[in-house]
Structure formats: C-alpha cells, structure tokens
Amino acid sequence: MSGHSKFANIKHKKEKNDAAKGKIFTIIGREIAVAVKEGGPDPANNFKLATVIAKAKANNMPNDTIERGIKKAAGDVGNVNYKYVTYEGYGPNGIAIIVDALTDNTNRTAANVRSAFTKGQGNVGTPGCVSFMFDKKGQIIVDKEECDMEADDLMMTALDAGAEDFSEEDDSFEILTDPDNFEEVRKALEDAGIPMISAEVTMIPQNYVTLTDETAVKNLQRTLELLEDDDDVQAVYHNWDE
C-alpha cells in the first residue's frame, strides 16, 4: 500500500458529500439502525455500532444527530427491516467493483445495481468473482496539516494499539489494521487527540489498474456515479488507479 495514497480521493468524496450531506447522513442512519437492532444501543458493548459512530464522526455528523439516531433505532427495533447485500462485478477493461448495499427491497436494489453496471459497459458477476482481489482492512487516514504529532510518535501510538501497518505519503498518514482491531486502534488515536479525515473498515485492492482509454474512463465514471447516487448503496470499492 505504501506509495498509493487515497487521501485526494477521500477529500474529493468529502467535498461531494458536503454538497449532498443529507445522503451520507441517511446512509449512516441506516447503518446505526441495523447495528442497534443487532447488538443494542451501547457502543461499548456493540462493536458494529462503535464502528458506525466512528464513520459518522469522520463524516462530521453532529453528536446530537448520532445520539438521536441511536435512540430512535432503540425504540423502533421491530420496524428495522434493512438487509445487507453485496454485489460484485466488472467495469470497463475488467476493473473490479464491489458494491455494499443496505436495503429494504432487494429486487429494487439489484435492478438498480445491474443497470449502473450495464450503462457503463460493465456487468454484474457472481459472488466472489472479484472480492479475492481485495483485502478487508481497517483504514485510518490522517491529514498531515491537521496532525501536531511527529510521524514516529504517531506510528508508535498506532502500532502499540495493534495497527498492522503505517505509511507516510506527501500529504497524509495511512494506518491499516486487522478489522477486529480497528476500533481499538481508532479509539487510541482519538484519545491521543489525533484528527482523522477517514476511519472505517474497507476493502483495499491488492493491485490497482490504470485506464488510458478515455471512453473506458467515462464509462467507469458513469457506473461509479450511478452507484454512489443510489440511496441503497452504502459503499463502492474498486481497483481503478484514479
């Protein structure tokens, strides 16, 4: 992973999300509802909820909005009927794409995802067709400009808390963890006052693919934009070297 910073992409996504903050808050609200239903309203005893709260904070969701979402979900558990579904497929030139969705209507979501792939000249594949090309990791990105701690001290803080890897880029630090250790590492950084631009469990490509054909780039962008605009889609992972 060293040498391949996702910082610029994350900043770009955050700028897009600022223009459509309602959507990202809706996405996280659904995740909170499902996490509370599965494990209860106390993040200290609910790893999934703690992870969603970390994601909410990294996306600048106000604490009172988070707390309201937890309380609402706790009082409405019987009506939470969202289901996690994952789709895998190929974009132009064999670009691998994974789509995580959270939906109350799998038929609608499947049709929308299939349409997004088709419109970008790609196709949905079978489960497992591309996920082997990715590693599931906890990923924390720290903006260098916002971090007062020296790189060596930050690295030791992360590694001491259980991080697997630490890399320094031109504008950011990237910390990778095993998914099971993610919350412990994130909490250690939070307690140390480290500002995190992104903190989530994600799918990281083992290798990245460069596209040089302009038509292929436009088609892939169309697919990704259609997926990201879909309210049921929680996250989109791909191995395109943007």
Side-chain angles (χ1 to χ4, degrees):
M1 274 301 296
S2 183
H4 194 103
S5 174
K6 291 314 230 178
F7 179 73
N9 294 338
I10 289 166
K11 289 194 81 171
H12 173 62
K13 284 180 181 176
K14 283 191 176 294
E15 286 161 8
K16 282 177 66 180
N17 287 340
D18 285 342
K21 194 162 275 182
K23 179 176 190 295
I24 194 69
F25 284 7
T26 299
I27 284 174
I28 294 171
R30 285 189 187 184
E31 292 186 1
I32 287 173
V34 173
V36 169
K37 180 179 182 179
E38 292 180 357
D42 182 3
N45 298 314
N46 184 341
F47 168 77
K48 183 175 281 188
L49 179 58
T51 301
V52 177
I53 290 172
K55 180 178 177 180
K57 289 181 176 179
N59 280 281
N60 300 316
M61 181 181 271
N63 286 333
D64 61 341
T65 304
I66 297 171
E67 289 168 9
R68 273 201 312 273
I70 293 172
K71 286 178 182 175
K72 182 175 184 298
D76 203 28
V77 163
N79 294 322
V80 175
N81 59 351
Y82 294 114
K83 177 183 177 182
Y84 279 105
V85 284
T86 298
Y87 304 93
E88 300 181 32
Y90 302 92
N93 292 35
I95 294 292
I97 303 173
I98 299 175
V99 181
D100 283 343
L102 188 54
T103 179
D104 57 358
N105 185 329
T106 54
N107 290 333
R108 176 191 66 220
T109 307
N112 289 346
V113 169
R114 191 169 289 107
S115 174
F117 273 86
T118 301
K119 287 177 179 177
Q121 305 302 309
N123 61 282
V124 176
T126 56
C129 67
V130 300
S131 55
F132 69 92
M133 303 180 195
F134 295 75
D135 293 319
K136 189 173 186 178
K137 295 288 182 183
Q139 183 190 50
I140 298 168
I141 305 291
V142 178
D143 184 346
K144 275 188 177 180
E145 290 185 1
E146 296 180 6
C147 183
D148 295 329
M149 187 177 286
E150 293 293 327
D152 287 347
D153 293 334
L154 176 61
M155 179 176 68
M156 291 312 300
T157 299
L159 295 177
D160 286 347
E164 287 184 343
D165 192 25
F166 178 95
S167 59
E168 180 176 352
E169 312 296 345
D170 291 340
D171 49 14
S172 62
F173 302 107
E174 180 188 53
I175 297 154
L176 296 180
T177 78
D178 182 277
D180 292 340
N181 296 337
F182 166 75
E183 178 56 22
E184 193 172 337
V185 176
R186 187 206 63 78
K187 184 72 165 58
L189 296 179
E190 183 179 67
D191 290 346
I194 305 300
M196 293 164 271
I197 190 171
S198 174
E200 60 186 348
V201 175
T202 186
M203 299 292 283
I204 296 177
Q206 294 165 2
N207 295 289
Y208 289 86
V209 177
T210 302
L211 288 182
T212 55
D213 180 73
E214 285 188 20
T215 301
V217 170
K218 286 180 180 177
N219 283 331
L220 180 57
Q221 287 175 331
R222 187 176 189 198
T223 291
L224 296 179
E225 285 170 4
L226 287 168
L227 290 171
E228 287 169 0
D229 287 343
D230 190 316
D231 286 343
D232 294 335
V233 172
Q234 300 293 104
V236 180
Y237 311 106
H238 58 78
N239 63 351
W240 176 34
D241 189 352
E242 298 175 73

